[in-house]
Amino acid sequence: MWPALATLAIAFLRINGPQLGTDELVTSDVGHRSMGQILAMLHNVDAVHATYYVLMHGWMAVFGDSEAAMRTPSVLAMSGTAALVALIGRRLFGPRAGMCGGMLFALIPVVSRFAQEARSYALVVLAATLATFLLLRALDMPRRWWRWAGYALCVAVVGLLHLVALTVLAGHCVAVVLRARQESGVLWRFCLAALAGAACVVPVVVLGTSQASRQLFWVPEPDAWGLADIWPQVFASGLCTGVVITLAAMAWTERRDAVLLCFTVAVLPPFVLWVASHGDVSYFRFQYAMFTVPAWAVLAGAGLARATRSWLSVGVALTVFGLLVLPDQRRMRGEFEHDVPHNADYMAAARTIEKYYRSGDAAVYVKGAPWMLDQGVRYYLRSGPKLREVFVATSAAENNELYPVYCPVPVTCLRGESRIWVVVPGNNPDPLNSVPADQARVLRAKYTTSGTVPLSGLTVALLKRKR
């Protein structure tokens, strides 16, 4: 209970502080679509996130689309994970180790960072950790088929939330092979359960594989150094990485099978991703390896319990650790932390438009480095004026895509608007230089720039029709 409550409290702290990032804006956009539109879109893009989008569609229908509302499922998922870390630590290394591991997990900066992210990563961490817990329960009584059925179901959920997270099975397999030396029948039961769970996600595998090159074309192929460089990103703190790994190393003299299970779950999945990323598509992103953090926390908790002799010393150690990562915790809650490196101030752009809006105003949102620029400004305008997007012929929802279809002949899409708001990425002195050439020619011919407002990551300009 205490690790879960601690995670809940830390994660809710300034949950509305950071503006929505690019991925979160996609969640907002897709979550507002009808179920039919969501399913149609998944045939073209983002099939690997299908389960999350369906969940968020229902969640947003009940709880709304504020930053806090959309991020709350992630907060609850990370809090549940903290409880599971404590339970796994208690099962493997004893009650004090479990409590230490759960509290350390709550304090790790990446936990609160992605507890405040309206994406599937926190749910993936929860599902993968639950799968490890259910595997341990199945290994306690391997002849009880319903325990393996529960494990198989959880494996399916892991895959449905994020295919890459199925690499957790590599760590599970090592633990099962070791256990199979002591008890017959364990290995085939595990294989049957794992295959049954994985079979449930075959449709997602087929669709996701066909879309992978389009969605991950920008992810670079990792070099040898990437295997070491990924850990400060996984923990969102170089200092935290050093402390957690040091504490984990102190648990090396504990139960060999328990240590090996946690170690393989923590280390093998990123290595599998690294190997798989040397083909046509690279999957080597730290977000995809975040589900290994709970295993590190379990080991670190065992190490901390071994190094301390009383609950008082545990409390002191946790306090020191919390103070050490405090600067990283503050950084996690920066206004533009979810939109690094673009730092686009969507909220200020929306407020600028809202302040000077007149009935009949239209808008041009230019796709650029922060490629959800249009969704960002629209999100923060959701309770304000609704501006027609001048050059959009078919919206993204109607197009069953993440992108709209633009007018092939821009001049035909004008409707005699007297004023048009133009929002472009960057701070070019002439905002129309950032507008696509064919659209810019039409705007220059019929409008003059009345004023510009440079903001963080973007510029808002007001065009007035020439007399």
Side-chain angles (χ1 to χ4, degrees):
M1 179 180 69
W2 294 115
L5 291 177
T7 305
L8 197 70
I10 295 171
F12 268 124
L13 185 64
R14 293 198 73 246
I15 193 171
N16 288 325
Q19 291 192 35
L20 294 185
T22 297
D23 287 347
E24 292 180 293
L25 291 168
V26 175
T27 298
S28 172
D29 175 45
V30 176
H32 279 111
R33 301 184 188 187
S34 69
M35 188 58 67
Q37 288 175 326
I38 293 174
L39 296 177
M41 184 204 75
L42 295 173
H43 284 285
N44 299 319
V45 66
D46 261 0
V48 292
H49 298 300
T51 302
Y52 180 71
Y53 287 148
V54 171
L55 288 172
M56 288 305 293
H57 173 76
W59 178 273
M60 290 164 60
V62 176
F63 297 102
D65 66 346
S66 68
E67 292 100 324
M70 290 196 297
R71 290 167 175 169
T72 294
S74 295
V75 173
L76 298 176
M78 283 300 194
S79 299
T81 304
L84 286 170
V85 168
L87 290 171
I88 292 171
R90 182 176 67 180
R91 179 178 289 266
L92 295 178
F93 301 108
R96 194 146 65 95
M99 180 64 73
C100 289
M103 295 303 292
L104 283 170
F105 179 82
L107 294 169
I108 293 173
V110 81
V111 172
S112 53
R113 164 63 180 84
F114 283 90
Q116 295 185 349
E117 176 95 353
R119 286 303 269 180
S120 64
Y121 301 117
L123 277 72
V124 173
V125 173
L126 172 64
T129 309
L130 180 59
T132 300
F133 178 72
L134 292 177
L135 174 65
L136 290 173
R137 284 179 54 81
L139 290 176
D140 284 345
M141 297 182 177
R143 296 185 184 279
R144 295 191 175 179
W145 64 268
W146 57 87
R147 294 199 173 192
W148 290 107
Y151 174 71
L153 180 61
C154 194
V155 168
V157 172
V158 171
L160 289 172
L161 285 170
H162 208 284
L163 288 176
V164 171
L166 286 175
T167 52
V168 72
L169 295 177
H172 291 176
C173 187
V174 172
V176 170
V177 168
L178 289 176
R179 181 63 179 271
R181 295 178 179 178
Q182 305 169 9
E183 189 167 352
S184 62
V186 169
L187 184 57
W188 73 262
R189 288 183 173 90
F190 165 76
C191 290
L192 185 62
L195 288 173
C200 295
V201 301
V202 168
V204 179
V205 172
V206 173
L207 271 176
T209 303
S210 66
Q211 299 168 1
S213 58
R214 170 190 168 179
Q215 293 185 234
L216 298 175
F217 69 92
W218 54 274
V219 181
E221 182 178 295
D223 55 18
W225 179 248
L227 282 172
D229 189 52
I230 194 174
W231 296 112
Q233 300 176 62
V234 166
F235 289 94
S237 167
L239 178 60
C240 178
T241 303
V243 173
V244 170
I245 292 179
T246 299
L247 288 173
M250 294 170 65
W252 195 252
T253 56
E254 296 288 342
R255 283 177 47 197
R256 179 170 173 261
D257 60 335
V259 170
L260 196 57
L261 168 64
C262 295
F263 181 76
T264 54
V265 169
V267 174
L268 272 185
F271 180 74
V272 172
L273 289 182
W274 185 85
V275 172
S277 295
H278 289 81
D280 296 332
V281 179
S282 175
Y283 305 92
F284 203 69
R285 299 183 67 202
F286 79 90
Q287 293 95 327
Y288 297 172
M290 263 177 33
F291 65 86
T292 62
V293 171
W296 283 112
V298 172
L299 281 176
L304 179 58
R306 184 175 181 80
T308 53
R309 297 184 178 181
S310 66
W311 283 109
L312 177 62
S313 56
V314 168
V316 171
L318 290 173
T319 301
V320 171
F321 180 71
L323 292 173
L324 287 175
V325 300
L326 185 58
D328 294 303
Q329 291 282 6
R330 288 176 174 168
R331 176 172 56 85
M332 294 296 99
R333 290 158 176 79
E335 184 175 7
F336 305 119
E337 181 62 26
H338 291 201
D339 197 42
V340 175
H342 310 308
N343 298 339
D345 198 343
Y346 306 119
M347 186 183 296
R351 298 295 171 265
T352 300
I353 294 173
E354 203 167 23
K355 182 178 180 180
Y356 300 103
Y357 171 79
R358 291 182 187 173
S359 179
D361 285 0
V364 172
Y365 301 115
V366 176
K367 297 288 186 183
W371 58 273
M372 291 303 289
L373 184 65
D374 52 345
Q375 291 293 347
V377 178
R378 280 205 304 270
Y379 175 82
Y380 288 102
L381 275 175
R382 65 192 187 281
S383 58
K386 308 299 180 187
L387 284 72
R388 185 180 80 87
E389 293 185 53
V390 175
F391 297 124
V392 171
T394 307
S395 69
E398 294 169 336
N399 190 36
N400 299 327
E401 267 285 356
L402 296 177
Y403 307 98
V405 174
Y406 292 97
C407 297
V409 183
V411 70
T412 63
C413 292
L414 292 176
R415 296 180 184 173
E417 291 86 359
S418 60
R419 305 195 331 160
I420 296 177
W421 291 95
V422 177
V423 186
V424 299
N427 298 129
N428 193 306
D430 183 359
L432 292 182
N433 286 339
S434 301
V435 177
D438 56 344
Q439 297 177 11
R441 280 194 298 270
V442 172
L443 293 175
R444 290 185 192 278
K446 296 182 177 294
Y447 294 85
T448 57
T449 303
S450 173
T452 62
V453 180
L455 301 167
S456 174
L458 53 82
T459 298
V460 179
L462 176 61
L463 306 185
K464 292 185 177 179
R465 193 172 184 85
K466 293 178 180 179
R467 294 183 181 273

